[in-house]
Amino acid sequence: MAHGKKLVIVESPTKMRSIQGYLGDDYEVLSSVGHIRDLASKKDIPADKKEAYGKYSIDIDNDFDPYYVVNDRKSKTVAELKRALKNADEVLLATDGDREGEAIAWHLLEVLKPKVPVKRMVFHEITKDAIRDAVQHTRELDTSLVDAQETRRVLDRLYGWDVSPVLWRKVGSGREGTALSAGRVQSAATRLVVDRERERMAFVSASYWDVEASAVRDASAFTTRLARVDGAPLARGTDFDDRGALKKAVVALDETQARELAAAIEAAGEASVTAVEAKPGTRSPKPAFTTSTLQQEAGRKLSMSAKHAMSVAQRLYEKGYITYMRTDSTALSAQAVKAARQQAVSLYGDRAVPPNPRTYRNNSKNAQEAHEAIRPSGEVFRTPASVSGELDRDEQRMYDLVWKRTVASQMSDAKYETTTVTLRVEAGDRVAEFTASGTVYTFKGFLEAYEEGRDEKRGDADKAEDQSLPALAVGDTLRMRDVEPKGHATSPKPRYTEASLVKALEEKGIGRPSTFASIIDVILDRGYVTKRGQALVPSWLAFSVVRLLEEHFADLVDYDFTAALEDDLDAIARGEQKRTEWLRSFYFGSDEQVGLRNVVDNLGEIDARELNSTRITDTATLRFGKYGPYLEVTDPAEPDSRRIVNIPDDLAPDELTPEKVQELIDAPVAGDRVLGENPENGKLIVVKDGRYGPYVQEVDREEPENVDEATGEVVEAPKKKTAKKDAAPKPRTASLFRSMSPETIDLDMALQLLTLPRVVGADPESGEEITAQNGRFGPYLKKGTDSRSLDSEQQIFDITLEEALAKYAEPKYGARRASSALKEFDNDPTSGKPIRLRDGRFGPYVTDGTTNATIPRGENAMDVTFERAVELLADKRAKGPAPKRTAAKRAPAKKKAPAKKS
């Protein structure tokens, strides 16, 4: 009997190709392309199972037993794995070594049901030595890790499916194309961003003044800042609380006082040195990256979103350049420490490293997931310069960051000396004291390689810039020049950026570093948060969602409670907690907690109108409705009157101050402009400015007296009560082209717009009618279900039948003129066809004319290289086409042994 191959199953197609090369022909390496199955949707649950599993795909009365089905898109992958299994004499499950990877391995085992020996293969870097070592040192499947991941999945399903419907009923359906949702960690993350905005909204700014001057000695000059007046310290921004009041006894100068003091100092003209204090100091390097710190630094230094940073790091890992990028550990292996120290010495000299290697304490309680820190792979680190030709731009920048951080983590402390000088000025009848500081590094140490970035903090404006000071001694006299009073205002806490939100989530124990990127992606996608530059700004929708959760699901958005859930999941992963007992307590309640089921069943009445309302002033209330936020304004003289005022989409919540509200109320209302009468039917043609842009509309001329002939505006008239009747046909409307404006459009053009779509003619071969029209993605031709884009909006009116037929004669894809591609590359090594980068309806993508692969969100399309394009297309081919959805029945998943679920 022929000796079979060993089947190795990994998660990623890219990883698959690398590992196959290391293991050789005795092994067949295939990819599961992530998870192959998940909790079933309701339609996939058989009729005889619906009573038990129907609501959640979880039988909550039978130890929270989940009902899994193979993902429709993975049926081809599963078939390929089963084919390979027939010729295998051993299976190596080589998915990632964390909870997620362990769960994927378990699902593979459950679906494939191999009859040959099965081993668990784990590695943390994709190098030849690491892979071969992993083959020699396999282990059994860790069921505790599987239990922890399954508990997390069940918990999230119960939470989301019980709480989200409450949001749908009481808040709304969310942004167009999305649905509101509640999640165990996304809700807490949203609350963090909302809480920060609330702090900004409640903040009261305080003003304070100080004085700056140049101190001159011979040819040297340095900047000094007023520190004390008559021995009392001068107020700084940090001395005020968030209500604008002073927290301690300091001198707070107003503008008049500051200008008078500056004039007196200018008149005095000189200062004497009263103190020179020099203090030595040291700075130690930060440890090598964890998942969280990598995301933070990539945001600060590379301006990458957390999601994009993880995508780039994933590619570097799969290509064998760095170790596994999902880790809580700051520890480095002995091999890595040796490599880092050797590289530091070779680049920066013998003094660059301390006598003994540095060790860093690992703060992760879950030792099973505490892998090595993220570092360059291998026994000898490749320098960034040596790999520059092998990586795309983002990969190169990320590798450079990881390399520098790792090498610096093993280098010597930086040593410096900070000198502070105090100057005294006799300014009339007052004594003013100025200070200046300068820092000189006597030994740069790890700073030769790397310095950590920092987030914006309050009080940064009060910190004097570091500068070089001349040699000074007590008693020296200096001239005071360019004396200038400076006004300041206190500022609220800065909004979260992705980097600082990741830091806050980690500090509060909300989620796990491997989930931070997806948490942020969800709250952005749901419309709870938007980005303004790097800052995360919550929407009014988020305010309503968080208010509902705080008032009716307080525990679920409590930061400590959410963190405690993570600790409990860690305990399950370590085998210290039983899965079903914990779920029963969380869902049905216990002595320690109320239980989600009890909360949902006893919600009581929720006033949706009150929930979606925020009082801004005595007469203006912000309300969140079906079409977004608006102001409802009342008149004290007429309490029953109500006026609606729209809020600009780009106005952040903390910018909706009472002053801004009054400005919006007082702004003139732009009325609908009448363009004229349609000569064919006598109806009025009106141009309007709607929520989705300007448009023209044909309206009945029932109330001519309501048209202001002087201005051409339609004046709103009171609606008449009429008996119910069949719904009248909707008035004809047409959006303005992008090249048009409501102020300049005339009647003739409006009438042309209302005739669209325009019939160009009939196809002489098929007889099908060809029309020209404008759509969401621009002007196009339509013939049945076949469409072709037009080059300009004007072509809608101008294109002839012959020109339209010529458009249809062109291939729909691949053979258009070169200028339609954003970039062109060499031929794809698999298909042999040229690769092009295009901008499509759903964003930029690469194509070889047969396979299309979308550029992942967060990546800059113009930075895509030929190698990256080839990789994206290969990954897309490996996944295969998305099959048509069918209502195929699935057998219930095999349950794990009852002994494990106790």
Side-chain angles (χ1 to χ4, degrees):
M1 182 176 177
H3 181 69
K5 291 188 175 184
K6 298 181 188 299
L7 175 61
V8 179
I9 305 177
V10 296
E11 293 172 63
S12 160
T14 304
K15 192 187 300 184
M16 174 184 76
R17 291 187 289 273
S18 300
I19 294 174
Q20 183 69 71
Y22 294 142
L23 293 180
D25 295 338
D26 290 338
Y27 294 81
E28 182 174 9
V29 185
L30 293 178
S31 168
S32 68
V33 198
H35 275 282
I36 59 169
R37 67 176 188 171
D38 195 6
L39 291 172
S41 62
K42 292 181 181 179
K43 67 180 179 62
D44 286 333
I45 298 175
D48 62 336
K49 300 286 183 181
K50 283 193 180 295
E51 183 176 352
Y53 295 94
K55 184 175 181 180
Y56 308 101
S57 302
I58 299 164
D59 187 348
I60 61 174
D61 296 318
N62 184 25
D63 290 340
F64 296 88
D65 185 55
Y67 188 90
Y68 294 111
V69 295
V70 173
N71 188 314
D72 284 344
R73 295 188 176 188
K74 294 300 175 68
S75 56
K76 183 178 178 181
T77 300
V78 171
E80 178 68 11
L81 292 173
K82 286 184 175 179
R83 177 206 59 75
L85 184 59
K86 291 178 180 178
N87 301 316
D89 59 10
E90 185 176 84
V91 175
L92 295 170
L93 299 174
T95 51
D96 292 338
D98 54 13
R99 297 176 191 170
E100 198 79 22
E102 208 74 15
I104 292 173
W106 178 78
H107 283 291
L108 285 167
L109 200 59
E110 291 290 299
V111 172
L112 298 179
K113 297 180 173 57
K115 293 181 172 56
V116 295
V118 177
K119 296 177 181 177
R120 184 75 171 94
M121 172 181 164
V122 179
F123 46 87
H124 306 307
E125 61 179 340
I126 303 178
T127 59
K128 192 173 191 178
D129 290 343
I131 297 303
R132 291 186 173 180
D133 182 71
V135 170
Q136 299 300 318
H137 299 88
T138 56
R139 62 168 172 81
E140 296 299 315
L141 193 74
D142 190 327
T143 55
S144 293
L145 283 182
V146 175
D147 268 354
Q149 179 57 31
E150 187 169 75
T151 304
R152 181 190 297 273
R153 187 70 188 93
V154 169
L155 166 64
D156 289 344
R157 173 62 65 93
L158 295 174
Y159 186 124
W161 285 30
D162 267 352
V163 181
S164 295
V166 182
L167 299 183
W168 302 338
R169 295 193 302 269
K170 299 302 180 181
V171 178
S173 58
R175 196 177 57 185
E176 183 182 6
T178 68
L180 296 187
S181 67
R184 177 178 53 87
V185 286
Q186 79 182 50
S187 297
T190 302
R191 184 189 171 198
L192 274 172
V193 181
V194 169
D195 278 349
R196 178 58 54 86
E197 196 74 6
R198 286 169 172 168
E199 290 179 287
R200 292 174 62 89
M201 294 168 73
F203 178 78
V204 177
S205 182
S207 63
Y208 61 100
W209 285 73
D210 61 14
V211 180
E212 287 186 3
S214 291
V216 182
R217 181 182 181 184
D218 300 329
S220 299
F222 56 93
T223 301
T224 65
R225 193 171 183 182
L226 184 63
R228 286 177 290 277
V229 177
D230 295 330
L234 200 66
R236 301 294 183 208
T238 52
D239 295 326
F240 294 88
D241 64 20
D242 286 350
R243 304 305 300 171
L246 284 167
K247 296 184 288 187
K248 60 183 180 181
V250 291
V251 176
L253 298 179
D254 59 24
E255 182 177 2
T256 301
Q257 293 169 325
R259 293 192 181 281
E260 289 175 351
L261 186 56
I265 293 167
E266 185 88 53
E270 61 181 31
S272 60
V273 178
T274 59
V276 178
E277 185 179 15
K279 287 185 178 180
T282 60
R283 287 180 59 187
S284 298
K286 297 291 185 179
F289 283 129
T290 62
T291 302
S292 168
T293 55
L294 177 66
Q295 291 173 7
Q296 292 173 52
E297 280 292 82
R300 298 184 192 115
K301 289 183 176 289
L302 308 181
S303 297
M304 287 185 182
S305 67
K307 181 179 181 180
H308 183 37
M310 291 306 291
S311 173
V312 176
Q314 176 87 32
R315 300 203 303 265
L316 286 174
Y317 165 63
E318 291 177 351
K319 291 179 178 180
Y321 288 95
I322 64 172
T323 54
Y324 191 53
M325 68 291 156
R326 292 188 180 91
T327 174
D328 296 332
S329 176
T330 56
L332 289 175
S333 65
Q335 177 194 73
V337 169
K338 180 180 178 182
R341 286 171 63 86
Q342 286 177 341
Q343 203 139 72
V345 170
S346 67
L347 290 171
Y348 308 114
D350 292 339
R351 292 184 63 204
V353 297
N356 297 313
R358 290 185 181 275
T359 57
Y360 295 93
R361 180 172 173 267
N362 180 17
N363 294 320
S364 174
K365 290 184 289 185
N366 190 352
Q368 296 183 57
E369 287 193 24
H371 309 311
E372 192 177 0
I374 304 168
R375 63 164 177 91
S377 59
E379 293 184 5
V380 178
F381 296 165
R382 290 166 284 185
T383 62
S386 70
V387 300
S388 60
E390 305 166 17
L391 305 174
D392 65 32
R393 178 174 177 269
D394 282 347
E395 290 168 352
Q396 174 69 26
R397 295 163 70 213
M398 179 69 77
Y399 183 79
D400 181 72
L401 195 67
V402 172
W403 180 89
K404 286 179 176 176
R405 177 80 168 224
T406 307
V407 172
S409 74
Q410 286 302 313
M411 291 177 67
S412 300
D413 288 343
K415 297 179 180 180
Y416 62 89
E417 185 175 83
T418 298
T419 301
T420 302
V421 176
T422 303
L423 307 178
R424 176 187 173 96
V425 181
E426 300 287 345
D429 59 350
R430 309 198 76 174
V431 176
E433 290 180 90
F434 287 77
T435 59
S437 294
T439 299
V440 175
Y441 278 91
T442 56
F443 177 66
K444 294 200 72 173
F446 75 91
L447 294 176
E448 294 276 11
Y450 179 82
E451 182 170 9
E452 187 181 41
R454 59 188 300 273
D455 296 315
E456 178 191 357
K457 291 183 179 179
R458 277 202 296 186
D460 284 353
D462 291 330
K463 294 178 180 177
E465 292 186 13
D466 207 18
Q467 57 188 322
S468 177
L469 299 180
L472 296 170
V474 174
D476 287 349
T477 300
L478 292 84
R479 299 189 305 278
M480 300 296 278
R481 298 288 184 266
D482 303 323
V483 182
E484 185 180 356
K486 294 273 189 179
H488 307 276
T490 56
S491 58
K493 291 180 181 178
R495 290 191 178 97
Y496 285 110
T497 62
E498 288 202 26
S500 60
L501 182 58
V502 164
K503 185 176 181 180
L505 290 170
E506 183 175 45
E507 289 175 347
K508 291 184 178 295
I510 298 171
R512 280 290 174 259
S514 59
T515 65
F516 291 161
S518 61
I519 292 170
I520 294 173
D521 194 49
V522 167
I523 64 177
L524 286 167
D525 186 60
R526 291 286 184 263
Y528 298 154
V529 174
T530 57
K531 293 185 78 170
R532 179 184 290 185
Q534 294 295 313
L536 298 176
V537 183
S539 63
W540 287 109
L541 169 64
F543 275 74
S544 294
V545 169
V546 169
R547 185 179 297 147
L548 183 147
L549 294 174
E550 287 175 332
E551 293 177 2
H552 300 281
F553 300 91
D555 278 352
L556 300 185
V557 287
D558 179 79
Y559 300 134
D560 292 338
F561 178 80
T562 306
L565 294 185
E566 294 293 345
D567 291 340
D568 290 342
L569 290 171
D570 285 348
I572 294 172
R574 295 191 299 270
E576 300 168 3
Q577 175 70 272
K578 299 297 183 182
R579 167 188 174 276
T580 51
E581 289 177 3
W582 187 89
L583 282 171
R584 192 175 296 114
S585 173
F586 169 80
Y587 192 69
F588 292 113
S590 64
D591 293 339
E592 289 77 29
Q593 54 185 310
V594 177
L596 177 62
R597 181 71 169 268
N598 294 326
V599 174
V600 173
D601 289 347
N602 296 281
L603 281 176
E605 290 298 320
I606 298 177
D607 187 336
R609 182 175 175 81
E610 181 63 26
L611 177 72
N612 290 287
S613 301
T614 302
R615 177 63 65 89
I616 307 296
T617 69
D618 290 340
T619 59
T621 300
L622 179 133
R623 300 199 189 279
F624 190 86
K626 181 179 180 181
Y627 300 107
Y630 62 92
L631 286 172
E632 184 180 83
V633 183
T634 60
D635 184 346
E638 299 180 40
D640 294 333
S641 69
R642 294 287 187 274
R643 178 185 164 196
I644 302 302
V645 176
N646 287 327
I647 297 174
D649 291 336
D650 59 352
L651 192 69
D654 76 328
E655 295 168 353
L656 191 65
T657 61
E659 295 76 19
K660 185 63 179 180
V661 166
Q662 196 58 49
E663 179 186 324
L664 294 172
I665 293 172
D666 294 340
V669 179
D672 304 331
R673 188 164 66 91
V674 177
L675 300 178
E677 183 181 284
N678 187 339
E680 294 183 1
N681 54 26
K683 292 186 177 183
L684 294 178
I685 307 300
V686 181
V687 60
K688 301 185 176 186
D689 196 2
R691 185 168 184 82
Y692 302 104
Y695 64 99
V696 291
Q697 186 175 65
E698 187 179 68
V699 298
D700 291 327
R701 192 173 184 133
E702 295 178 355
E703 304 288 346
E705 68 275 15
N706 291 325
V707 178
D708 188 327
E709 296 182 359
T711 64
E713 290 187 350
V714 176
V715 181
E716 187 176 358
K719 294 181 180 178
K720 295 180 179 180
K721 292 184 179 180
T722 56
K724 287 186 177 180
K725 58 181 179 180
D726 294 338
K730 291 184 178 180
R732 287 197 300 163
T733 62
S735 295
L736 269 60
F737 290 173
R738 294 177 183 176
S739 57
M740 301 174 181
S741 72
E743 293 78 23
T744 59
I745 190 172
D746 57 23
L747 178 63
D748 291 339
M749 180 53 68
L751 291 172
Q752 284 191 65
L753 290 174
L754 289 170
T755 63
L756 297 179
R758 168 180 163 253
V759 176
V760 179
D763 185 335
E765 293 185 5
S766 64
E768 287 185 292
E769 190 176 76
I770 299 175
T771 58
Q773 51 201 298
N774 209 17
R776 180 180 176 189
F777 304 104
Y780 67 101
L781 293 171
K782 186 175 182 182
K783 180 177 67 172
T785 59
D786 195 4
S787 61
R788 292 290 189 278
S789 294
L790 293 174
D791 300 322
S792 69
E793 292 170 325
Q794 188 57 40
Q795 278 190 301
I796 294 174
F797 298 119
D798 298 343
I799 193 167
T800 64
L801 177 60
E802 291 73 23
E803 291 169 337
L805 293 173
K807 280 275 185 186
Y808 276 101
E810 296 175 1
K812 189 166 186 177
Y813 304 106
R816 298 177 185 173
R817 61 184 182 277
S819 61
S820 66
L822 301 177
K823 268 187 179 183
E824 294 196 6
F825 302 106
D826 292 336
N827 291 348
D828 182 83
T830 301
S831 68
K833 298 177 181 180
I835 299 176
R836 292 184 173 89
L837 172 68
R838 298 188 183 280
D839 192 10
R841 290 187 174 187
F842 305 105
Y845 65 99
V846 289
T847 179
D848 64 353
T850 303
T851 303
N852 298 339
T854 302
I855 305 300
R857 182 178 173 186
E859 288 191 36
N860 187 332
M862 298 311 293
D863 289 340
V864 170
T865 62
F866 171 67
E867 293 75 15
R868 177 62 175 146
V870 170
E871 181 184 7
L872 288 169
L873 290 171
D875 288 348
K876 184 64 183 290
R877 291 190 196 100
K879 292 180 181 179
K884 294 180 179 179
R885 293 187 176 183
T886 58
K889 293 183 179 180
R890 298 284 189 267
K894 179 182 176 182
K895 297 177 185 176
K896 289 181 279 185
K900 191 172 79 69
K901 291 188 178 182
S902 55

